[in-house]
Amino acid sequence: MNIQRKVSMRSVLAFLSIIIINLPIIAIVSRVNFSSNSNWKHFKQYLLPDAVSNTLLLVIITLLLSGTIGVLLATAVALFDFPLKRFFEWVLYIPITIPPYIAAYVYAGMLSYTGVIQRLCRDWDISLQPQWLDIMNIRGAVFIYSITLYPYIYGVVKSFLENHSGNFIDTARVLGYKPIKLFLKVILPLIRIPLIGGFMLVMMEVVSDYGVIKYFNIQTVSSTIFNSWFGMGETGVSIRLSFYVMIFIIALQVIEEIMRGRKKYNLGSGRARPITAIKLKGFKRYAMIFFLILFITVAFLIPVGQMVVWAILAFQKVSLANLSQIIFNTLLYSTLATIIILILNILIAHSRRWMSTKSGFIMSKLTQLGYSMPGAIIAIGTITIFVAFDGLLHPLYRFFDPNAKKLLLSTSVTMLVFAFVVRYMAIGYNSVNSAFAKVGLKYNDAARTLGISRTKAMLKVELPMLKNSLIAGFILTFIDILKELPLTLLLRPFNYNTLASRVYEYANDERIHEASVPALIIIFLSILAVILLVRINSRKGGIKKK
């Protein structure tokens, strides 16, 4: 009876945490107004069609291009063995360390009239129409998204091929399938489900993005929500549009879940075995290495190399004292939000194990709901609830300080950290929940027979066993928060800068050279985190991806 009571208390705390992190979404739903007023009619007639069509165009073409890149790269490194394969396996993850808005600033600068590409063409008397290199449009945005977001698809497809497709592919090879037929008839049908998962991640990143579309001046749903709320003060229009986007994304997730549930792979009585890589010989292996080097050069080495050159030219113009404070701010809020996410995820994932399948499923979906929402929606919901909290708590503020201002929480870093926790709970949750699922209940039950409470068993027995998975979840969450821009721009306190916001400010002032210094620091910190993540996963037996 006592045990049952303690389990219920953990469940209550876990569900309370989930309710708190979903408050911004609840705020959106509670404030949406469906009346057909003049503001909504004007918005619907003149702004909505372009915003929706541009967003759909960006999402569809980006999914096609990033999907093609991710699937081809994953298939190449999973099916074939060639020199430097292990090096390329993790290097192909590296472009994800470049935030799309930074890649947009760099490529736009390089391809502009005064950029290095057009200058070289003029020096070499190569006739080139400037508009051919203009990427500040939908076509250019698709290119930027594809080369920076394809690792989401590459990671899940590669992991699936290496760990779950060996039986099918080896059987097809025995039956005499050639590589093209093997890819079309076996691999593509096999990877449909992990591919859809990767597509969902890329789609949410594109829909949520604000930096690229703002710099390229493309009107999308996300930019429309931003501009309606913060530019024109049309809060009703922003909330109503946010609600429709939220419903659309939830509907897509339900469809994805139904497709996952219906699709089962029958491995018979045997276990899935790792794929057997074919060793490339002669010209083929050199062609493979050349292709991979060429791709990494375009996706990573060229933009980073250009940033290094610009940073050297502009280093004297960047205040080092101010930069140190910005780095401290960035590391502080990223670490703080990541620690909170890790603690909440441990509480939720640990409690879920004693729940029914249905309750656990609902708990998982609610925990991950924030990640599927565009940053603009999270920002609007967060501002709404923090302003309401300030209104409720203002008498308490005045009790301690008669001159206290009304908006205290909503003008502090607390609101920013809270929004990060809401937005990125899903990333840490996947790692923590998978780790608890692998361990099962046997160690906790064994500790219970020795008279140790479940909480103490978790702290003393299970968490040390899950150390690597918890660190991996921490690193993945930290990287995403480090690069985050829309929430930082909207929710940061006055005169409070981070590396991402500083990059945006420099780029917005057309000071691209100066923007390279904080941008390179973001990429450098992200690469360090990725290297640490790869080393941790290597110790666990293979490279895995969120």
Side-chain angles (χ1 to χ4, degrees):
M1 189 68 181
N2 189 37
I3 295 172
Q4 193 64 41
R5 185 178 62 81
K6 289 182 179 178
V7 171
S8 299
M9 282 299 295
R10 275 197 300 274
S11 302
V12 169
L13 286 175
F15 272 111
L16 185 61
S17 303
I18 291 173
I19 291 173
I20 291 174
I21 62 176
N22 281 289
L23 281 178
I25 297 172
I26 296 172
I28 293 286
V29 175
S30 65
R31 288 195 57 186
V32 64
N33 182 2
F34 295 104
S35 62
S36 184
N37 54 45
S38 58
N39 291 337
W40 176 256
K41 286 180 180 177
H42 176 83
F43 168 77
K44 185 179 177 181
Q45 182 175 357
Y46 296 106
L47 297 178
L48 188 61
D50 284 343
V52 172
S53 61
N54 287 342
T55 303
L56 289 177
L57 201 59
L58 278 174
V59 169
I60 292 172
I61 302 178
T62 300
L63 290 182
L64 289 174
L65 187 55
S66 61
T68 303
I69 295 171
V71 170
L72 289 179
L73 291 176
T75 305
V77 298
L79 262 64
F80 301 109
D81 186 18
F82 49 89
L84 303 176
K85 175 180 174 176
R86 289 184 62 80
F87 169 76
F88 283 113
E89 276 183 336
W90 79 266
V91 163
L92 289 172
Y93 285 113
I94 291 296
I96 204 172
T97 61
I98 304 179
Y101 56 89
I102 291 178
Y105 303 152
V106 175
Y107 268 103
M110 290 173 59
L111 296 172
S112 66
Y113 183 79
T114 56
V116 61
I117 304 296
Q118 294 206 38
R119 286 206 319 269
L120 284 176
C121 289
R122 288 195 293 271
D123 292 342
W124 294 344
D125 292 329
I126 298 175
S127 178
L128 200 63
Q129 294 297 322
Q131 60 268 26
W132 292 353
L133 299 178
D134 180 17
I135 67 164
M136 299 185 71
N137 45 44
I138 290 181
R139 185 180 66 245
V142 167
F143 169 74
I144 296 297
Y145 289 137
S146 298
I147 63 170
T148 53
L149 300 180
Y150 81 87
Y152 287 115
I153 294 171
Y154 165 78
V156 294
V157 172
K158 173 176 168 291
S159 176
F160 180 86
L161 287 175
E162 289 180 337
N163 298 311
H164 301 287
S165 64
N167 305 47
F168 301 98
I169 292 175
D170 288 347
T171 302
R173 284 170 174 166
V174 171
L175 294 175
Y177 280 41
K178 298 298 182 185
I180 295 179
K181 186 178 180 182
L182 178 69
F183 180 77
L184 296 176
K185 298 290 186 180
V186 179
I187 294 176
L188 276 184
L190 276 176
I191 63 173
R192 274 182 298 174
I193 301 305
L195 188 58
I196 290 173
F199 277 165
M200 289 296 291
L201 291 173
V202 173
M203 185 197 72
M204 288 186 283
E205 291 289 336
V206 174
V207 173
S208 299
D209 179 69
Y210 180 68
V212 176
I213 56 172
K214 176 70 168 58
Y215 193 64
F216 284 4
N217 195 26
I218 301 172
Q219 186 178 355
T220 66
V221 169
S222 183
S223 67
T224 304
I225 293 174
F226 272 79
N227 295 335
S228 298
W229 182 286
F230 300 98
M232 297 183 282
E234 297 287 352
T235 56
V237 170
S238 296
I239 291 176
R240 187 168 176 177
L241 183 57
S242 299
F243 176 79
Y244 289 142
V245 173
M246 193 167 64
I247 295 299
F248 176 73
I249 292 175
I250 290 175
L252 288 180
Q253 289 183 320
V254 171
I255 294 172
E256 182 205 5
E257 195 63 40
I258 293 173
M259 293 179 68
R260 283 178 184 271
R262 289 179 176 173
K263 187 66 180 176
K264 302 289 183 186
Y265 295 104
N266 185 6
L267 297 174
S269 58
R271 298 177 56 187
R273 63 172 183 268
I275 194 169
T276 304
I278 296 177
K279 191 168 186 177
L280 293 179
K281 298 178 181 177
F283 168 78
K284 291 181 180 177
R285 65 176 178 176
Y286 294 117
M288 175 69 78
I289 295 173
F290 174 76
F291 168 74
L292 293 178
I293 291 176
L294 181 64
F295 178 79
I296 288 297
T297 301
V298 174
F300 183 76
L301 296 180
I302 287 179
V304 171
Q306 180 65 83
M307 275 188 282
V308 170
V309 173
W310 286 344
I312 293 172
L313 294 174
F315 192 72
Q316 299 295 332
K317 301 177 184 177
V318 178
S319 169
L320 293 181
N322 193 26
L323 188 61
S324 302
Q325 181 61 46
I326 291 172
I327 294 173
F328 175 78
N329 291 343
T330 306
L331 294 177
L332 177 64
Y333 80 72
S334 299
T335 305
L336 183 60
T338 306
I339 290 174
I340 295 172
I341 288 172
L342 189 62
I343 293 173
L344 291 179
N345 279 325
I346 289 174
L347 172 66
I348 295 170
H350 184 259
S351 302
R352 184 196 167 178
R353 296 187 297 170
W354 285 276
M355 294 181 180
S356 64
T357 304
K358 189 174 181 180
S359 299
F361 175 79
I362 295 173
M363 177 178 274
S364 293
K365 290 303 172 188
L366 290 176
T367 304
Q368 301 175 73
L369 189 57
Y371 188 66
S372 62
M373 298 295 122
I377 296 177
I378 300 297
I380 290 173
T382 302
I383 291 173
T384 302
I385 61 170
F386 269 73
V387 170
F389 282 154
D390 274 335
L392 290 173
L393 297 174
H394 188 230
L396 184 64
Y397 301 158
R398 296 193 63 181
F399 176 78
F400 291 103
D401 180 5
N403 298 319
K405 58 184 181 180
K406 185 175 182 179
L407 300 179
L408 187 61
L409 286 176
S410 52
T411 56
S412 68
V413 182
T414 307
M415 184 168 69
L416 181 62
V417 172
F418 175 81
F420 286 145
V421 173
V422 173
R423 180 84 171 88
Y424 294 105
M425 273 290 289
I427 298 175
Y429 178 78
N430 288 333
S431 298
V432 175
N433 188 51
S434 299
F436 272 118
K438 289 178 182 176
V439 169
L441 297 174
K442 55 183 180 292
Y443 296 103
N444 200 290
D445 290 342
R448 291 280 296 152
T449 61
L450 301 175
I452 301 175
S453 68
R454 279 185 173 151
T455 302
K456 196 170 182 180
M458 177 190 73
L459 295 174
K460 296 288 185 181
V461 179
E462 292 178 313
L463 290 189
M465 295 174 61
L466 307 179
K467 182 177 63 178
N468 285 341
S469 296
L470 298 180
I471 294 174
F474 183 94
I475 292 172
L476 287 171
T477 310
F478 179 83
I479 291 174
D480 270 356
I481 295 178
L482 185 71
K483 298 186 302 179
E484 210 287 334
L485 178 64
L487 290 177
T488 308
L489 282 180
L490 296 175
L491 303 180
R492 60 179 171 153
F494 177 72
N495 209 23
Y496 184 91
N497 265 309
T498 65
L499 288 170
S501 66
R502 179 57 84 189
V503 172
Y504 175 83
E505 288 178 351
Y506 278 137
N508 208 36
D509 294 338
E510 296 300 331
R511 299 169 66 186
I512 302 297
H513 292 192
E514 287 88 338
S516 297
V517 177
L520 281 174
I521 296 173
I522 292 176
I523 295 171
F524 175 72
L525 292 174
S526 299
I527 290 177
L528 285 182
V530 169
I531 291 174
L532 183 58
L533 183 65
V534 170
R535 289 178 64 85
I536 291 171
N537 283 329
S538 297
R539 286 205 297 267
K540 290 195 298 183
I543 299 174
K544 298 176 181 177
K545 191 63 182 164
K546 63 185 178 181

